[in-house]
Amino acid sequence: DHSTPTNCPKMSTSTAASKTSSSSTTTSANDVLLYVPNLIGYSRVLFTSTSLVLMLSHSRLWWLATALYISSFVGDLFDGLVARRLNQTSTFGGLLDMVTDRCSTLGLLFVLAISYQDQLYLQLIFLFLCLLDISSHWCQMYSTAALGKHHKSEDGNEGRHFLVRWFYKYYYFFGYLCVGAEFTYVIAYVIQFTGDSPLHPILKALLWGFIPGCFLKQLV
């Protein structure tokens, strides 16, 4: 009960209005769950999960699996923008976004390891990429959290390798590395199904264009 006791001194009109306004703008956990960027996050989880299931169990639907995976990735580009535009940033949303990103990448690398099981060196590369992805992100999050800083903040990355600082400071560099890494994996999956189609040489050319970004992201 947040009502004012009758035996208390009367509050000024401005103070009462301030308290009423503050009370009316209180955000509940249910409100956060229904934030627009978090709704985008839930759709990303659904798209990624469905795409990975299709990749493993219905390879003939590779085109649908790929479309869903890319849709999830595109959602990652917009949920942060929407959160800031609508002033709906939240710790839960940040966690949902980060976990979805990591699980999506690791899931696709797992699919690739199975898809290329007749080529041991590729399986070892995909395994290494899985281990590097999860360990590097954990180290980045833990080290900046220990300083009380956000993992993408400039002061949180002060004194680190210039590639790390560039990655979080320059949006286009960040974008190329993220897109380069994800589309290297996506094309490595899709190219198995294109065979002699006219799309095959185009995908190979795109793959070589994305590989440098993927390589640099591993360095970061």
Side-chain angles (χ1 to χ4, degrees):
D1 184 5
H2 297 284
S3 60
T4 305
T6 54
N7 60 344
C8 288
K10 290 186 177 180
M11 293 186 295
S12 67
T13 304
S14 60
T15 303
S18 175
K19 284 185 174 290
T20 302
S21 174
S22 175
S23 175
S24 64
T25 58
T26 300
T27 303
S28 69
N30 287 336
D31 293 332
V32 173
L33 291 175
L34 295 176
Y35 276 179
V36 174
N38 293 341
L39 296 178
I40 295 175
Y42 306 146
S43 69
R44 290 188 61 215
V45 172
L46 177 62
F47 287 171
T48 297
S49 301
T50 305
S51 70
L52 295 176
V53 170
L54 290 175
M55 288 176 185
L56 291 172
S57 62
H58 296 81
S59 58
R60 68 184 182 279
L61 296 176
W62 61 269
W63 55 272
L64 177 58
T66 303
L68 288 171
Y69 190 92
I70 292 175
S71 296
S72 175
F73 179 73
V74 171
D76 185 37
L77 302 178
F78 289 101
D79 56 1
L81 295 174
V82 172
R84 289 185 288 274
R85 177 66 63 88
L86 299 179
N87 193 28
Q88 291 185 346
T89 57
S90 65
T91 301
F92 171 75
L95 179 63
L96 175 65
D97 180 66
M98 180 179 62
V99 171
T100 303
D101 288 346
R102 303 283 52 79
C103 290
S104 298
T105 300
L106 293 175
L108 182 53
L109 287 170
F110 177 80
V111 169
L112 290 174
I114 293 176
S115 300
Y116 290 91
Q117 58 185 333
D118 58 333
Q119 301 181 56
L120 179 60
Y121 78 97
L122 285 178
Q123 284 189 306
L124 292 175
I125 289 175
F126 296 138
L127 172 61
F128 171 76
L129 290 172
C130 283
L131 298 175
L132 180 61
D133 185 270
I134 196 68
S135 60
S136 61
H137 281 86
W138 185 88
C139 288
Q140 174 68 7
M141 292 294 297
Y142 182 84
S143 60
T144 51
L147 298 173
K149 308 292 184 181
H150 191 277
H151 70 283
K152 293 183 179 180
S153 65
E154 189 170 348
D155 53 347
N157 291 295
E158 185 178 358
R160 304 196 175 200
H161 193 277
F162 75 93
L163 284 177
V164 176
R165 288 183 277 113
W166 284 9
F167 182 71
Y168 290 113
K169 184 176 181 179
Y170 299 111
Y171 183 77
Y172 291 108
F173 184 65
F174 174 87
Y176 172 62
L177 268 58
C178 290
V179 171
E182 288 299 318
F183 275 82
T184 294
Y185 307 149
V186 168
I187 294 175
Y189 168 74
V190 172
I191 208 167
Q192 306 170 89
F193 306 101
T194 54
D196 298 326
S197 74
L199 189 60
H200 194 78
I202 297 174
L203 288 175
K204 289 185 71 174
L206 288 173
L207 182 61
W208 285 110
F210 287 128
I211 283 177
C214 182
F215 177 75
L216 284 173
K217 190 169 188 292
Q218 310 318 312
L219 292 180
V220 170

